[in-house]
Amino acid sequence: SPPAAARDTASGTAGGTAAGSADGTPATPDTGAASPVTRTASESAARPLSGKVVVIDPGHNGGNFRHTREINRQVNILTQKKACDTTGTSTNDGYTEAAFTWDVSNRLARLLRGQGATVRLTRADNTGWGPCINQRAAIGNKAHADAAISIHGDGAAPGAHGFHVIMPKKIGGPVDPVVGDSQRLGRKVRDAFHNGTGLPYSTYIGRQALNYRSDLGGLNLSTVPKIFIECGNMRNAGEARRFRDAGFRQTIAESLAKGLKAYLTTR
């Protein structure tokens, strides 16, 4: 994203026989089907996020730059008024934050759906504009999400590097009841992201990759546990190179999925 000041998922027995039992009771034929108990346990292991709802917010949108009037419209985020949205940042060779977040978000959505979660993204493509930051929060609220995550890439000075997670503060507003859960979500994602990607904690903002803010509409207006993650600095040559690699973007998505699962299965 732009610099911090601007930024705004019957127990049968296998092996039965056709012969009767010793007391003459006919034995239950072995159909080869798993017992209900075994099947339920197996399904639970394969789909640990069944019943969970996750909202993924891919930061910005690929067509925002064509709609400057619309995205510059001011919206109320309770602590101040801010632009509806921004264009986001890019690598020095033109790989946009909007494209990066769209790709990572769809990879993450597939992983979470594969584990049984219901997933909704806040935008349907990377060619339109918006939605506004207040609408992005409203999508998570309306879905009654168990967790929401907004995915970004930062646009800091080239020498700065590393990732950080942004969590809400209490503001006397709708986010207050979920600040504690958001912080737990943030720490789970921080740990999984660090371990999975090998990216360092941010060298330029936050403490141990954790940052708390009250000036982001997507957090202030959320009534569900929500965090932002700045996956790294797109203006840093090393991190930009890694973000351009599809394999590494898959690693990012897998790491985020592990963090979300850790939070959703231990609430």
Side-chain angles (χ1 to χ4, degrees), residues 95-117:
Y95 179 50
T96 68
E97 180 183 3
F100 168 76
T101 65
W102 180 243
D103 183 80
V104 170
S105 294
N106 278 279
R107 292 173 185 272
L108 175 58
R110 283 192 291 271
L111 291 168
L112 295 176
R113 287 173 180 143
Q115 297 183 65

Side-chain angles (χ1 to χ4, degrees), residues 14 43 56 68 99 162 207 223 228-229 255:
E43 288 174 352
I56 304 172
T68 55
R207 182 177 180 184
T223 60
F228 280 46
I229 182 165
S255 302

Side-chain angles (χ1 to χ4, degrees), residues 160-183:
H161 67 278
F163 79 95
H164 66 281
V165 175
I166 306 171
M167 294 166 290
K169 293 180 177 181
K170 289 188 176 183
I171 58 168
V175 74
D176 288 14
V178 295
V179 162
D181 282 336
S182 296
Q183 291 179 2

Side-chain angles (χ1 to χ4, degrees), residues 7-210:
R7 257 191 333 274
D8 175 316
T9 34
S11 55
T13 302
T17 66
S21 65
D23 63 3
T25 304
T28 302
D30 179 9
T31 64
S35 72
V37 171
T38 303
R39 184 168 59 249
T40 300
S42 176
E43 288 174 352
S44 296
R47 297 174 68 81
L49 300 183
S50 292
K52 302 296 185 181
V53 177
V54 180
V55 168
I56 304 172
D57 176 30
H60 312 286
N61 201 324
N64 277 2
F65 74 97
R66 299 188 185 94
H67 296 268
T68 55
R69 180 177 62 84
E70 291 89 345
I71 68 169
N72 285 331
R73 178 173 63 84
Q74 297 290 293
V75 297
N76 184 4
I77 67 164
L78 302 183
T79 55
Q80 63 187 89
K81 288 190 174 182
K82 293 186 77 171
C84 156
D85 203 0
T86 65
T87 58
T89 189
S90 69
T91 61
N92 290 334
D93 60 356
Y95 179 50
T96 68
E97 180 183 3
F100 168 76
T101 65
W102 180 243
D103 183 80
V104 170
S105 294
N106 278 279
R107 292 173 185 272
L108 175 58
R110 283 192 291 271
L111 291 168
L112 295 176
R113 287 173 180 143
Q115 297 183 65
T118 297
V119 181
R120 180 170 182 189
L121 273 64
T122 60
R123 56 185 172 98
D125 53 50
N126 193 44
T127 57
W129 67 272
C132 294
I133 54 179
N134 55 341
Q135 294 170 309
R136 291 175 189 249
I139 291 169
N141 298 345
K142 185 176 180 180
H144 302 289
D146 295 287
I149 182 168
S150 189
I151 299 174
H152 290 262
D154 213 353
H161 67 278
F163 79 95
H164 66 281
V165 175
I166 306 171
M167 294 166 290
K169 293 180 177 181
K170 289 188 176 183
I171 58 168
V175 74
D176 288 14
V178 295
V179 162
D181 282 336
S182 296
Q183 291 179 2
R184 285 188 284 276
L185 170 61
R187 290 178 181 275
K188 292 292 188 181
V189 169
R190 186 271 311 265
D191 293 347
F193 193 87
H194 183 55
N195 292 336
T197 66
L199 288 172
Y201 293 164
S202 170
T203 60
Y204 61 97
I205 193 169
R207 182 177 180 184
Q208 294 185 312
L210 300 176

Side-chain angles (χ1 to χ4, degrees), residues 3 154-161 203-204 233-237 239:
D154 213 353
H161 67 278
T203 60
Y204 61 97
N233 180 16
M234 298 189 77
R235 294 293 187 179
N236 176 275
E239 289 177 355

